[in-house]
């Protein structure tokens, strides 16, 4: 197979933009298992904090849970990407909390991450280079060709709004709890606004995608 054929193959697998975006989103999130694995360390930390009100044991048990999930992935020889993401997240939170001695700082990196992510996506919409468009570019092999089609830009802007909203809601809800030092409420909010909110956002995106059939190749 030639290089040109290899480049064209992924694009040929998806006739419409909607199909391409659905496939890329599923791959990026790691499916149901990836979503659950991302939530486990927070659930364990919150449960330990409610039971003990001790920072160090809560951090140790939550990190141990993430390591256990990683070992299962390695034993099954499946991709550890999503467990590693979770482990890095709880590791950074543990670093923040151990430096300050405040349990609430376990959640600060997540709040900052969601705020930065929402701001970045909003900026991409404002400048008319919505982030979701680059998912299309990763399929077609040309990262910017989609931008020449105004219909694609509009579709990708709508999808980027839907991808941004969960991040924005997390910041708006969790930040007051963080300022008030409500660790248990932060943990509950993070769990409730984690995969359930993400699934709701993705369901809205799937609904938008299911209604349209925008050709994958930009119009001439």
């Amino acid at each position: 197979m030639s290089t040109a054929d290899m480049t064209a193959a992924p694009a040929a697998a998806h006739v419409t933009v909607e199909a391409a975006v659905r496939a890329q989103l599923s791959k990026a999130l790691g499916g149901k298992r990836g979503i659950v694995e991302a939530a486990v360390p927070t659930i364990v930390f919150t449960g330990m904090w409610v039971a003990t009100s001790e920072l160090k044991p809560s951090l140790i048990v939550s990190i141990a849970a993430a390591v256990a999930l990683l070992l299962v992935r390695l034993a099954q020889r499946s991709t550890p990407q999503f467990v590693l993401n979770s482990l890095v997240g709880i590791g950074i939170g543990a670093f923040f909390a151990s430096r300050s001695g405040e349990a609430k700082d376990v959640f600060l990196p997540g709040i900052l991450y969601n705020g930065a992510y929402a701001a970045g996506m909003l900026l991409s919409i404002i400048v008319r280079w919505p982030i979701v468009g680059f998912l299309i570019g990763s399929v077609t092999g040309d990262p910017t060709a989609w931008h020449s089609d105004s219909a694609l830009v509009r579709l990708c802007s709508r999808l980027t709004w839907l991808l941004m909203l969960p991040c924005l809601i997390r910041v708006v809800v969790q930040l007051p709890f963080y300022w008030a030092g409500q660790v248990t409420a932060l943990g509950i909010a993070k769990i409730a606004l984690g995969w359930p909110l993400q699934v709701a956002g993705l369901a809205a995106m799937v609904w938008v995608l299911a209604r349209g059939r925008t050709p994958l190749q930009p119009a001439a």
Side-chain angles (χ1 to χ4, degrees):
M1 180 181 290
S2 67
T3 303
D5 291 337
M6 292 175 66
T7 302
H14 305 290
V15 178
T16 65
V17 170
E18 288 79 9
V21 173
R22 282 197 300 269
Q24 291 297 89
L25 285 174
S26 177
K27 180 180 178 182
L29 290 171
K32 294 179 181 178
R33 182 175 178 180
I35 294 172
V36 171
E37 287 171 339
V40 165
T42 299
I43 294 172
V44 172
F45 175 85
T46 303
M48 279 295 295
W49 175 261
V50 170
T52 67
S53 296
E54 294 288 339
L55 174 60
K56 190 173 180 179
S58 301
L59 289 174
I60 291 173
V61 173
S62 61
I63 292 173
V67 171
L69 291 173
L70 177 60
L71 293 175
V72 170
R73 281 281 193 177
L74 294 175
Q76 295 176 341
R77 297 186 177 181
S78 59
T79 176
Q81 173 188 346
F82 306 102
V83 179
L84 286 174
N85 291 344
S86 175
L87 185 58
V88 169
I90 193 66
I92 295 173
F95 173 77
F96 273 62
S98 62
R99 290 293 297 270
S100 68
E102 296 281 348
K104 67 177 184 177
D105 285 335
V106 169
F107 302 95
L108 180 58
I111 295 172
L112 295 176
Y113 170 82
N114 278 281
Y117 205 57
M121 285 190 283
L122 179 60
L123 179 62
S124 76
I125 294 169
I126 292 172
V127 300
R128 293 187 58 78
W129 281 90
I131 285 176
V132 172
F134 294 98
L135 292 177
I136 298 167
S138 68
V139 174
T140 62
D142 189 330
T144 60
W146 58 273
H147 194 260
S148 62
D149 190 324
S150 59
L152 283 184
V153 174
R154 288 193 298 271
L155 172 64
C156 292
S157 293
R158 290 196 296 271
L159 294 174
T160 303
W161 274 111
L162 292 173
L163 195 62
M164 182 191 75
L165 282 176
C167 297
L168 187 60
I169 291 172
R170 290 181 191 118
V171 174
V172 170
V173 172
Q174 292 183 68
L175 202 54
F177 290 140
Y178 175 80
W179 286 332
Q182 299 293 321
V183 178
T184 301
L186 272 170
I188 294 171
K190 184 169 182 177
I191 295 166
L193 300 177
W195 64 265
L197 185 59
Q198 198 66 52
V199 168
L202 291 175
M205 294 178 75
V206 168
W207 180 78
V208 171
L209 292 169
R211 296 174 65 228
R213 292 190 59 82
T214 309
L216 188 59
Q217 296 299 326

